[in-house]
Amino acid sequence: MTQGNATALVIVPTYDEAENVRAVTAAVLDAVPTAHLLVVDDGSPDGTADIVREIARADPRVHLLERSGKLGLGTAYVAGFRWGLDRGYPLLVEMDADGSHPADRLPALVAAVRDDQDVALAIGSRWVPGGSVVDWPLRRQALSRGANTYARLVLGIDVRDITAGFRVYRADTVARMDLDSVDSKGYCFQVDMTLRVDDLGGRIVEVPIRFRDRVHGVSKMSRSIVVEAMLRVTQWGVERRFRRR
């Protein structure tokens, strides 16, 4: 059963986000007071989990799922999905802890899925009309745009920001996925999940957002995650073309 009458579960993976977790929690609950928030913490040595526990004692909408170590973004979201599915939340939200995803766009993202039964996934997109990024050098913008264009062409899927990590899923669509087979990380996880929604016949929409680079802490992105994404996208593109034939 859903805990109370929560309209959505916002899943926020953390590793060393003590500087950000209070702000993101407050922003989410201010934007969507009827939502619950689940922090999935990978054993942060900076005390992130202790802060979340303190917040949760004062606010029953906040929950903590602790894991034993740094197990990766993709597995954190999968653990959060399972937690939410077990408790009957109708919508499952992905959101970063670093403040880059604007919480004030959560109502629009939630409404895009809630108000249209055909929509299985709403993506907070930087690269559709009305979307933008702040504090990114042109080189990084070009890299992101190029990677998304490559993925769109290779995979044959009309999504402009397929690597975006700010999204709302219809829970019954996620429930139909084989979550045990998800082993992707970083950007690659977002591509993987988008393809799974598409393969299930779910409609995908993009809602423009203003993306801001993190203010506190250190980015978890690495060269290996980027390389994994490019290799996986190419592999999946080939597999999808052969499958269609």
Side-chain angles (χ1 to χ4, degrees):
M1 296 292 291
T2 303
Q3 299 194 15
N5 295 311
T7 54
L9 178 68
V10 181
I11 302 163
V12 178
T14 57
Y15 183 80
D16 280 356
E17 295 289 358
E19 293 178 295
N20 296 312
V21 73
R22 287 186 191 276
V24 73
T25 299
V28 166
L29 298 178
D30 284 347
V32 189
T34 56
H36 283 191
L37 184 142
L38 173 69
V39 174
V40 183
D41 186 67
D42 274 7
S44 298
D46 71 348
T48 300
D50 293 332
I51 295 171
V52 177
R53 261 191 294 272
E54 176 190 332
I55 298 170
R57 281 194 292 268
D59 193 329
R61 296 173 295 175
V62 178
H63 309 277
L64 173 65
L65 177 60
E66 293 186 83
R67 305 202 301 168
S68 58
K70 196 173 181 182
L71 303 175
L73 182 75
T75 62
Y77 276 128
V78 168
F81 292 156
R82 293 189 193 282
W83 194 96
L85 290 173
D86 287 346
R87 289 158 180 81
Y89 290 92
L91 302 177
L92 302 172
V93 183
E94 290 184 23
M95 187 171 179
D96 285 352
D98 60 12
S100 59
H101 296 153
D104 62 3
R105 295 300 285 157
L106 270 172
L109 281 164
V110 167
V113 182
R114 183 194 60 213
D115 297 344
D116 188 336
Q117 290 298 313
D118 292 332
V119 175
L121 168 61
I123 297 175
S125 178
R126 299 160 291 187
W127 307 127
V128 293
S132 62
V133 296
V134 180
D135 303 328
W136 267 18
L138 288 175
R139 182 178 59 82
R140 190 169 177 190
Q141 291 188 46
L143 178 63
S144 179
R145 281 184 180 274
N148 277 287
T149 299
Y150 177 76
R152 187 170 72 253
L153 295 174
V154 169
L155 298 171
I157 185 168
D158 189 22
V159 175
R160 300 279 161 177
D161 201 352
I162 197 169
T163 63
F166 190 25
R167 11 176 102 202
V168 179
Y169 296 89
R170 192 173 295 281
D172 55 15
T173 299
V174 177
R176 293 164 58 201
M177 297 179 186
D178 176 16
L179 293 176
D180 288 334
S181 67
V182 179
D183 66 350
S184 307
K185 305 175 184 66
Y187 291 146
C188 198
F189 172 75
Q190 310 302 355
V191 178
D192 189 348
M193 289 296 295
T194 308
L195 292 179
R196 288 168 191 262
V197 172
D198 186 62
D199 287 343
L200 289 170
R203 185 171 164 229
I204 301 167
V205 299
E206 293 184 86
V207 176
I209 66 164
R210 189 168 186 256
F211 181 94
R212 180 180 296 277
D213 207 3
R214 69 159 56 234
V215 177
H216 302 291
V218 179
S219 172
K220 313 300 189 301
M221 191 52 56
S222 67
R223 185 184 298 273
S224 65
I225 289 174
V226 174
V227 170
E228 180 206 24
M230 297 304 289
L231 291 175
R232 284 288 187 91
V233 164
T234 304
Q235 175 190 340
W236 289 330
V238 171
E239 289 173 354
R240 282 168 74 85
R241 289 177 190 278
F242 274 109
R243 199 161 66 223
R244 284 169 183 157
R245 289 176 185 174

